[in-house]
Amino acid sequence: MSNENQEVIVVGGGPGGYVAAIRAAQLGGRVTLIEKSKLGGTCLNVGCIPTKVLLHAADLLAEANHANDFGINVNVTGFDWKKVLKKKDSVSSQLVNGINGLMRANKIKVINGTAEFVSSDTLFVTKADGTKETLSGGKIIIATGSVPAIPPIPGVKENDHCINSTGALSLAEIPKSLLIIGGGVIGVEFASIYSQFGTKVTIIEALPKLLPLMEGELTALLRNKMEKSGIEIYTEAKVQSVESSSVGAKVNVEYKGEGKCFEAEKVLVAVGRRANTKALNLEKAGIENDNGKIRVNHKMETNVPDIYAIGDCLGQVMLAHVASVQGEVAAENAMGLEASYNGKTVPSCIYTNPEFAGVGLTEENAKEKGIEYITGNFPLMSNGKALIMNGGEGMVKVILGKEFKEILGVHILGPRATDIIAECALAIGMEATIEDLIETIHAHPTLTEAVREAALAAEKIAIHAINK
Ligand code: NAD
């Protein structure tokens, strides 16, 4: 039974905060949500959603350019970037309006303002209209998200041609050249967008591989595809400094022990994000944190009774779907139920062309943990649907425990990988084995057949591939 009428204050209206607010309201809570900007947070306004609109536009352009291969006579005369940006903004607005509607439907009071702690149970809010309000008592859920990290590279802060992901979503024109510092998720997604729109893209990544947390074999395939499409990629390359140049910016890089210079019209700085908790005055409430990253337990409780924290402000896995689930967990606990967060089934989804998704352990993780495992790979070249959709580029890889053949991880590079991964997350959540995947009948012709074939390949009985 939940504590009906419990007062709940949520700070931050992104996919963590607004979901927490709705869940608390569903359970009978009297909920107030404080948001300083627009509801929907980074995800809806300057993150997941607008990026995906640009990616969709870029993919449409690529499809149109290849339509002739299928006998469709398309004469692509170019694109209207302003219209692309307008579409991006209209999709974001539509979704934000939807969240506003959900707040009203769930009787959640929304305050447009900035909150800070004055004690362990009191928040002081400076509202957008200049008025102030003090909120006390009740349960508090912190969901203030993250902001782009600025690396201490000399020249970055001072150079107007250096932008972050928010800036990259609203460039007035397509740049002729773009250098991206950081080959992580943001780096590769923007590389995919702008290279498809004709920008000369260069990625500089400090570590030996792009997307360091993703499955290595598939990351190498993606890198290959990106390089073939004209993107220049330098790994084990460290940016030393940025200077002005007539083109825009000159970026000095240490690569393989030597100095190398690049010039680009724009420099996208994508070296990670940091927890956005500075303005909260966590010390006044006595909330434990590591350099601003709030510490919580599996119930999303901080060390201070009645204060919870969720999502990017924990500085751990910065994904909208993680924040939302943690929001539900925090709200349920705040309302007197018992809930806990388990990240075992978190899918990682990267919206490149082709898409890249993974859930569970990578082969590298299994090795590091000393787990005995086997793998099964299935190339999408042998999957009819993939062949139609993107010429069969990509692969599915499953990682299984050696003794019991339980599914430890599944990784997919290919069209719709970010959708197909849901089946694999469910399989891992239900502790399924290879048998379960194989016994499940997958429709033909679909991309999902490739997941089953990868499982068959682990047993060396794949039907549409030569088993080695
Ligand atoms: P990231 O951590 O994914 O990648 C940053 C990369 O920059 C790393 O590979 C790192 O090695 C590299 N790097 C750091 N300092 C560097 C330097 N000085 N020179 C060169 N390389 C350097 O961070 P991000 O790409 O900025 O993304 C931020 C967060 O947003 C991530 O947590 C990400 O998961 C999330 N995000 C997710 C999605 C998605 O789920 N599709 C999309 C965008 C962002």
Side-chain angles (χ1 to χ4, degrees):
M1 274 289 285
S2 65
N3 304 328
E4 292 237 348
N5 276 326
Q6 168 69 55
E7 187 162 334
V8 178
I9 304 166
V10 181
V11 185
Y18 82 71
V19 169
I22 292 173
R23 186 71 192 114
Q26 285 173 346
L27 292 167
R30 283 182 294 125
V31 186
T32 302
L33 186 148
I34 308 163
E35 167 57 57
K36 70 178 163 65
S37 182
K38 287 187 197 161
L39 290 181
T42 299
C43 171
L44 264 54
N45 296 291
V46 287
C48 322
I49 297 297
T51 318
K52 266 80 257 178
V53 177
L54 297 190
L55 279 159
H56 185 67
D59 289 348
L60 279 178
L61 181 63
E63 292 243 325
N65 279 324
H66 289 110
N68 288 307
D69 298 351
F70 282 79
I72 310 295
N73 300 329
V74 175
N75 182 16
V76 182
T77 55
F79 56 88
D80 181 342
W81 180 242
K82 284 201 172 58
K83 224 167 155 180
V84 175
L85 295 183
K86 216 167 139 194
K87 181 72 183 171
K88 165 187 74 88
D89 293 340
S90 83
V91 172
S92 285
S93 299
Q94 191 175 341
L95 288 168
V96 171
N97 288 341
I99 306 299
N100 276 299
L102 286 172
M103 296 296 106
R104 286 192 295 275
N106 283 284
K107 300 192 171 46
I108 295 163
K109 180 180 171 193
V110 178
I111 298 179
N112 186 202
T114 305
E116 61 183 292
F117 282 98
V118 287
S119 71
S120 63
D121 68 351
T122 306
L123 284 163
F124 181 72
V125 183
T126 309
K127 296 192 199 171
D129 62 11
T131 59
K132 323 262 184 209
E133 186 170 340
T134 301
L135 300 175
S136 251
K139 312 272 182 173
I140 298 174
I141 300 175
I142 306 171
T144 49
S146 62
V147 289
I150 305 170
I153 299 171
V156 164
K157 261 194 204 157
E158 298 78 12
N159 196 310
D160 290 344
H161 298 271
C162 290
I163 54 173
N164 59 26
S165 55
T166 305
L169 284 169
S170 296
L171 289 176
E173 282 166 13
I174 295 282
K176 286 196 177 59
S177 50
L178 174 70
L179 182 137
I180 302 177
I181 307 180
V185 187
I186 292 181
V188 298
E189 287 189 359
F190 277 101
S192 196
I193 293 171
Y194 280 106
S195 66
Q196 291 190 83
F197 279 117
T199 301
K200 170 85 198 94
V201 177
T202 307
I203 299 179
I204 307 291
E205 165 59 48
L207 295 177
K209 72 179 190 79
L210 295 181
L211 301 168
L213 300 179
M214 298 295 282
E215 163 59 45
E217 192 178 355
L218 271 57
T219 303
L221 280 184
L222 176 65
R223 175 177 180 158
N224 196 275
K225 151 88 185 166
M226 289 170 75
E227 286 178 327
K228 265 196 203 146
S229 74
I231 299 170
E232 266 186 49
I233 299 170
Y234 296 85
T235 43
E236 293 183 87
K238 296 200 177 59
V239 177
Q240 303 294 320
S241 61
V242 177
E243 300 166 39
S244 308
S245 89
S246 55
V247 177
K250 185 169 144 204
V251 181
N252 301 309
V253 176
E254 189 199 310
Y255 179 60
K256 298 201 167 159
E258 284 182 16
K260 202 165 164 53
C261 275
F262 298 85
E263 283 196 297
E265 198 178 317
K266 296 284 177 199
V267 174
L268 168 60
V269 181
V271 297
R273 295 176 65 89
R274 63 171 174 78
N276 181 27
T277 54
K278 230 182 203 166
L280 278 174
N281 273 335
L282 294 174
E283 322 66 52
K284 291 252 172 88
I287 298 170
E288 283 178 4
N289 64 91
D290 304 308
N291 250 327
K293 299 184 224 169
I294 301 175
R295 279 192 219 146
V296 292
N297 62 15
H298 63 284
K299 294 175 79 178
M300 312 319 296
E301 294 166 332
T302 67
N303 62 307
V304 180
D306 297 337
I307 303 184
Y308 303 78
I310 58 170
D312 284 16
C313 68
L314 310 180
Q316 291 168 14
V317 184
M318 294 194 181
L319 297 171
H321 42 282
V322 169
S324 297
V325 172
Q326 291 178 341
E328 290 174 15
V329 169
E332 288 174 10
N333 288 322
M335 290 302 297
L337 303 183
E338 278 288 324
S340 64
Y341 173 74
N342 176 350
K344 198 170 97 174
T345 61
V346 174
S348 299
C349 296
I350 302 173
Y351 297 80
T352 38
N353 184 359
E355 291 184 347
F356 190 4
V359 63
L361 298 186
T362 61
E363 188 168 354
E364 294 88 340
N365 297 151
K367 271 189 193 139
E368 275 160 26
K369 289 176 189 278
I371 294 171
E372 288 205 278
Y373 66 91
I374 58 166
T375 62
N377 283 10
F378 187 76
L380 292 187
M381 187 58 84
S382 307
N383 174 277
K385 197 71 187 290
L387 197 63
I388 298 164
M389 291 176 76
N390 82 339
E393 262 172 336
M395 179 174 305
V396 178
K397 175 168 180 171
V398 297
I399 323 271
L400 306 163
K402 193 169 180 185
E403 190 179 353
F404 301 110
K405 311 266 175 80
E406 73 279 19
I407 301 164
L408 299 173
V410 184
H411 307 276
I412 306 169
L413 180 73
R416 302 273 175 234
T418 61
D419 295 318
I420 302 166
I421 203 68
E423 173 194 9
C424 311
L426 180 68
I428 288 181
M430 298 192 72
E431 300 183 354
T433 64
I434 190 173
E435 294 273 289
D436 299 309
L437 261 188
I438 292 173
E439 281 174 11
T440 302
I441 298 173
H442 291 67
H444 175 77
T446 63
L447 296 159
T448 65
E449 291 172 282
V451 174
R452 184 171 179 273
E453 285 271 17
L456 289 170
E459 296 281 37
K460 306 208 182 307
I461 51 169
I463 302 295
H464 296 94
I466 307 300
N467 295 288
K468 290 177 204 148

